[in-house]
Amino acid sequence: MPFLVHEAELLWVTGAVEPATTDAIAARLPLTRNSTYVRLRSLARQGRLTRNRPEFDRDGREFAESSRWSLTARGREQVAQADLPPAEETDFEGYFEGRTGRIDTGLFLDELAVQGEEHAAEAVSDETE
């Protein structure tokens, strides 16, 4: 069953390209830009990322094109504790191959049905022993 990108993996990718825009991070993940942005904001609220907003001149025009994300000490600690290969040696496209950007409820229902059948078979086996 395909699975989603974990928090530590999102932090891992961010750390590999930091300071990076949402677009630069999303380009390495099986997620849409919007989904990546929402997850990055959540990690920032948890204290795992910082967001450096664009700078503006006196006339209100941006110097920088968009926000840049960077890991905090807490985010680096989470990445260090995760069992992930060195980011600089990793082909992210290959690493995330087969991942999904969203939850397919049909897959979960199918998996629950299989687990239910396995559990029922185990219960019958236990009763006959």
Side-chain angles (χ1 to χ4, degrees), residues 42-57:
S42 174
L43 290 166
R45 283 192 301 273
Q46 296 170 32
R48 292 179 169 88
L49 291 175
T50 58
R51 179 181 178 193
N52 301 313
R53 297 182 189 270
E55 297 177 18
F56 298 90
D57 65 13

Side-chain angles (χ1 to χ4, degrees), residues 116-128:
E117 289 174 7
E118 289 173 355
H119 181 69
E122 288 174 9
V124 169
S125 176
D126 290 343
E127 289 176 6
T128 58

Side-chain angles (χ1 to χ4, degrees), residues 61-123:
R61 292 181 300 236
E62 290 185 14
F63 287 151
E65 293 179 19
S66 62
S67 299
R68 306 264 180 208
W69 302 92
S70 297
L71 296 179
T72 63
R74 190 172 172 200
R76 289 184 200 294
E77 183 179 319
Q78 185 173 351
V79 172
Q81 291 175 356
D83 185 24
L84 295 167
E88 58 277 354
E89 299 172 12
T90 302
D91 168 27
F92 293 119
E93 187 175 321
Y95 181 86
F96 290 111
E97 187 175 357
R99 300 285 187 99
T100 182
R102 64 194 131 147
I103 296 172
D104 179 354
T105 54
L107 286 174
F108 279 107
L109 292 174
D110 290 345
E111 184 64 24
L112 288 172
V114 168
Q115 289 180 11
E117 289 174 7
E118 289 173 355
H119 181 69
E122 288 174 9

Side-chain angles (χ1 to χ4, degrees), residues 9-22:
E9 291 170 326
L10 184 55
L11 292 168
W12 173 61
V13 170
T14 302
V17 295
E18 71 180 335
T21 63
T22 302

